[in-house]
Amino acid sequence: MAQEEAEYGGWGAGSVVAMLFIVILLLLLPLGMAPGPVQPPSMSLLFIFPLSMAVILIFLFQASKTD
């Protein structure tokens, strides 16, 4: 069990960057909404969240590979 604990380092740099990226998106995207009546988001805005999640998933998948 000590070897498993030694291999698992907890939150790495990639995990911290991914979490900060999501937090920044969640904080700044609502600021981009224009004042006035609320309208449905544009298609490009709808694709930002799943696209960013896919990029983070691929990044973390590549970062976790051991050679």
Side-chain angles (χ1 to χ4, degrees), residues 1-57:
M1 187 157 152
Q3 183 180 4
E4 289 178 11
E5 290 177 4
E7 289 178 6
Y8 178 72
W11 278 57
S15 299
V16 171
V17 169
M19 181 60 73
L20 289 175
F21 181 71
I22 295 298
V23 168
I24 288 170
L25 278 180
L26 290 174
L27 289 175
L28 296 181
L29 281 179
L31 296 176
M33 294 172 46
V38 177
Q39 299 175 358
S42 64
M43 288 301 287
S44 60
L45 189 60
L46 284 176
F47 285 119
I48 287 177
F49 185 72
L51 184 63
S52 62
M53 293 303 289
V55 168
I56 290 171
L57 179 67

Side-chain angles (χ1 to χ4, degrees), residues 50-65:
L51 184 63
S52 62
M53 293 303 289
V55 168
I56 290 171
L57 179 67
I58 292 169
F59 170 74
L60 290 176
F61 204 45
Q62 294 294 325
S64 67
K65 285 186 179 179

